[in-house]
Amino acid sequence: MKAFQVQTYDTPPTHCAVNAPVPAEGEVLLNIEACGLNFADLLMAKGTYQDTPSPPFTLGMEVCGTVLALGNGVSTPEIGTRVAVFGGQGGLAEQGVFPANLCREVPAEMSSPDAAGFQVAYGTSHLALTRRAKLQAGETLLVMGAAGGVGLTAVEIGKAMGATVIGVARGAEKMAVAKAAGADHVIDASADITAEVRALGGADVVYDPVGGDAFKAAMRATNREGRMITIGFASGDVPQIPANHLLVKNITVIGFYWGGYLKFDPTSLTDSMGELMDWYVQGRLKPHVSHTLPLEQAADALELLRSRKSTGKVVVTP
């Protein structure tokens, strides 16, 4: 079968012909219909992500596909069921094996590209805002990178939870995408973010997948007893937090890594995904997939992320 693999960290990922996998105990074999890309895929290709496997390996962290075969000890999901699953790798291929207990049946109303790009982005924002930040209705949520893969879902979920949402995005096109997703106010990333957020009353919760100067600007605009969630560092700059500033305004900085729950509380992820899929069926969430490309253009799909030319999700369809 065809797969898009990292052979070494020093060379770009490449298309390969590999043997089709066989499901081991506790696994299912999927015919992969769609694979959602994430910023973490870029880091994995360089060997700098916290959960990078040893080469060679197939990129692609989250997929939607149809069950073709079951490993020993697996009775569900049944063969022929369309499921979504976060496997951490293996998605940029025609077939793949994934843990059966992490598979979730996809509603008939949800397309495979929507399902493939749904899990990490929506799951991250949902757990971060509900479990970690405990966002309350009536609070003001500031979302950095508000037109990106996770940022856009934070805008949607924040609105669904009753918050006033301020989205920060770069350029008129991306600002319009954030506005269309439900942001009450949008700010250009090139503007004086601190001043503009303060003029809107400040932020009670900050959702930051960007880091760097954006994090610093957001901290200055955070209200007393505000909560700042660090999701990632797309800017490439991990900010150093001055602890004395936290004391002055009683600010809490919260770390959040969605994939970490796979190791210590996977049930929280599947429960969260169940609620989110219910919201999707109810029409409360409308995933934004800006680009859908075939497997042959996997490198182009990753470049869209690297160059920040995408909004929402980029999906590859093997």
Side-chain angles (χ1 to χ4, degrees):
M1 67 171 190
K2 299 174 183 176
F4 189 66
Q5 290 197 334
V6 174
Q7 297 293 315
T8 72
Y9 298 136
D10 298 325
T11 58
T14 185
H15 292 277
C16 304
V18 299
N19 293 329
V22 176
E25 184 173 352
E27 293 182 336
V28 295
L29 173 67
L30 298 185
N31 181 62
I32 299 173
E33 298 170 11
C35 174
L37 297 187
N38 295 276
F39 187 78
D41 288 306
L42 297 175
L43 301 180
M44 289 178 70
K46 295 180 178 179
T48 58
Y49 189 59
Q50 56 260 39
D51 283 335
T52 302
S54 299
F57 64 91
T58 300
L59 287 170
M61 305 177 77
E62 53 179 339
V63 304
C64 177
T66 301
V67 179
L68 294 178
L70 309 178
N72 289 336
V74 177
S75 57
T76 58
E78 297 178 352
I79 292 174
T81 305
R82 191 166 60 105
V83 299
V85 60
F86 176 85
Q89 60 172 303
L92 289 177
E94 293 176 309
Q95 297 180 8
V97 291
F98 304 95
N101 67 326
L102 297 181
C103 293
R104 187 160 196 107
E105 186 170 354
V106 175
E109 298 90 341
M110 180 178 275
S111 71
S112 293
D114 275 0
F118 192 82
Q119 300 163 90
V120 174
Y122 280 97
T124 292
S125 293
H126 184 254
L127 272 189
L129 294 175
T130 58
R131 177 168 174 153
R132 299 291 283 142
K134 294 179 171 58
L135 178 68
Q136 302 298 308
E139 290 190 311
T140 296
L141 169 66
L142 173 61
V143 180
M144 314 305 289
V150 291
L152 200 60
T153 64
V155 170
E156 273 194 281
I157 290 173
K159 283 302 296 180
M161 293 177 66
T164 296
V165 179
I166 304 172
V168 177
R170 188 169 298 278
E173 181 181 350
K174 291 187 176 182
M175 291 170 67
V177 169
K179 187 74 172 178
D184 298 282
H185 311 280
V186 290
I187 298 172
D188 194 296
S190 63
D192 185 339
I193 295 170
T194 301
E196 297 212 19
V197 174
R198 283 177 174 172
L200 294 169
D204 300 307
V205 174
V206 175
Y207 181 100
D208 179 34
V210 179
D213 291 338
F215 178 92
K216 298 171 187 175
M219 175 176 279
R220 292 192 293 269
T222 300
N223 293 330
R224 297 183 185 281
E225 292 194 330
R227 290 91 75 201
M228 302 187 68
I229 319 169
T230 58
I231 302 296
F233 312 103
S235 67
D237 179 4
V238 179
Q240 302 303 303
I241 301 169
N244 58 319
H245 290 192
L246 304 182
L247 298 182
V248 171
K249 293 197 289 185
N250 292 298
I251 292 173
T252 302
V253 177
I254 303 167
F256 183 81
Y257 169 42
W258 184 84
Y261 286 84
L262 288 168
K263 297 179 180 178
F264 70 90
D265 189 8
T267 302
S268 66
L269 298 184
T270 53
D271 289 347
S272 168
M273 195 52 51
E275 182 173 9
L276 287 167
M277 286 186 172
D278 287 343
W279 287 7
Y280 178 96
V281 172
Q282 295 163 15
R284 298 175 66 186
L285 302 176
K286 300 184 184 300
H288 178 80
V289 178
S290 65
H291 296 81
T292 303
L293 288 80
L295 183 60
E296 291 75 16
Q297 293 180 252
D300 297 331
L302 288 172
E303 182 57 31
L304 288 168
L305 293 184
R306 184 181 293 106
S307 61
R308 302 187 186 183
K309 292 182 179 178
S310 62
T311 54
K313 291 293 287 192
V314 176
V315 174
V316 171
T317 53

